[in-house]
Amino acid sequence: LYDWGLVIGFGLSLPLGVPWRNPSIMSLLPHLHRLPSRVILASASPRRRELLSSLLSPLPALVKGINLEIIPSTFAENLSKDGKTAAAYARLTASAKGKEVFDRCCGEKDKAVLVISADTVVESPAGDVLEKPSNKQHATSMMQQLSGEWHAVHTGVCLMLQSSSGNMIETTFSTTTKVRFAQLSPEVIDAYTDTVEPYDKAGGYGIQTAGLGGSLVEEISGCYFNVVGFPIRSFVQALIELLDKVKDKDDS
């Protein structure tokens, strides 16, 4: 279990809010020459953009021509939740986001490109999927459900990789982190939901904002970056496997 005030992972212990350079980049070093020059993040999330930029920003200095583009998906995120686990729902939504951007922006079959998309949802203690609250009443209900309890945060990630030979392979995965909230008084919930903080975040909070959403969290078990919205280590592992699969397909 991790103390909420520390980022403990990959051999680092950093206070929340302190910038970091994630060592996962080291795992990519032997594979840099296989990355396409065009890399698209199909998300408007500033948190995902910051995390992915932190990971990929050294790459242009190491491999000439690697470019990170931000092209938010226009997918409506209106999939039915019936019969789906929260993790499956996040994976399916991430896949739909990626396909929308790929079909809209990557039509040339001879151009190598990597499209990265993601979706984060919070699963309440009762098993309900909590996305972004729509109003104060909705946000208040979420905080009441999470107060003093463990819940799960699921991030689904989809990677769509097309080689210069035109071969395209897609992989989708999800990562889960358990989070426990502090016991929240009605006064704290009321004051918190009067701020702008809950309304652009799954589950109504962001762990990275130590002064507001992060202060609601008592402890976590699992990947901190996953709660922020992008599981870096899992992403790197999945990307390396995907590069191998595309190479095998190109060579066959």
Side-chain angles (χ1 to χ4, degrees):
L1 297 181
Y2 298 166
D3 183 286
W4 78 271
L6 298 176
V7 180
I8 303 177
F10 317 122
L12 296 179
S13 295
L14 300 176
L16 288 179
V18 174
W20 62 85
R21 175 74 66 201
N22 194 290
S24 292
I25 184 62
M26 297 303 296
S27 301
L28 275 176
L29 286 179
H31 308 277
L32 291 182
H33 64 286
R34 296 196 284 153
L35 283 175
S37 58
R38 190 180 188 199
V39 179
I40 297 173
L41 174 61
S43 174
S45 165
R47 282 130 347 237
R48 293 194 187 106
R49 181 171 65 248
E50 180 182 354
L51 287 173
L52 194 59
S53 296
S54 177
L55 177 65
L56 297 183
S57 58
L59 300 190
L62 299 170
V63 179
K64 187 177 180 180
I66 289 183
N67 231 349
L68 176 62
E69 300 176 46
I70 309 298
I71 305 180
S73 172
T74 60
F75 176 68
E77 300 187 39
N78 55 3
L79 295 176
S80 170
K81 299 178 180 67
D82 293 345
K84 300 179 182 70
T85 66
Y89 177 80
R91 291 193 299 270
L92 289 168
T93 302
S95 179
K97 288 180 179 179
K99 286 177 180 175
E100 187 279 323
V101 170
F102 186 90
D103 291 343
R104 174 161 51 96
C105 304
C106 310
E108 297 179 80
K109 297 299 182 184
D110 61 338
K111 299 295 184 181
V113 62
L114 170 65
V115 176
I116 304 164
S117 54
D119 185 65
T120 299
V121 299
V122 169
E123 181 180 1
S124 76
D128 298 320
V129 174
L130 305 181
E131 297 183 277
K132 298 171 185 176
S134 55
N135 53 44
K136 180 178 173 67
Q137 182 180 4
H138 193 194
T140 298
S141 173
M142 287 186 180
M143 294 301 104
Q144 290 170 340
Q145 292 177 66
L146 301 179
S147 176
E149 302 287 346
W150 283 96
H151 62 272
V153 179
H154 309 280
T155 298
V157 178
C158 178
L159 308 178
M160 303 181 72
L161 179 62
Q162 179 175 275
S163 71
S164 57
S165 303
N167 289 316
M168 199 278 284
I169 295 182
E170 173 188 347
T171 188
T172 306
F173 67 90
S174 59
T175 300
T176 299
T177 302
K178 295 296 183 72
V179 180
R180 184 165 71 88
F181 260 31
Q183 192 72 44
L184 308 178
S185 69
E187 293 78 15
V188 166
I189 291 175
D190 185 58
Y192 176 71
T193 55
D194 273 342
T195 73
V196 298
E197 178 71 14
Y199 300 103
D200 67 337
K201 300 172 182 69
Y205 75 97
I207 195 172
Q208 71 280 0
T209 51
L212 288 173
S215 66
L216 308 177
V217 176
E218 190 81 24
E219 56 184 318
I220 75 171
S221 177
C223 176
Y224 166 85
F225 300 108
N226 184 59
V227 185
V228 177
F230 198 74
I232 293 178
R233 175 65 73 182
S234 299
F235 161 73
V236 168
Q237 293 170 338
L239 176 58
I240 292 171
E241 292 173 5
L242 193 62
L243 289 167
D244 289 340
K245 289 178 182 177
V246 168
K247 181 179 184 300
D248 290 343
K249 195 169 184 179
D250 285 346
D251 291 344
S252 62

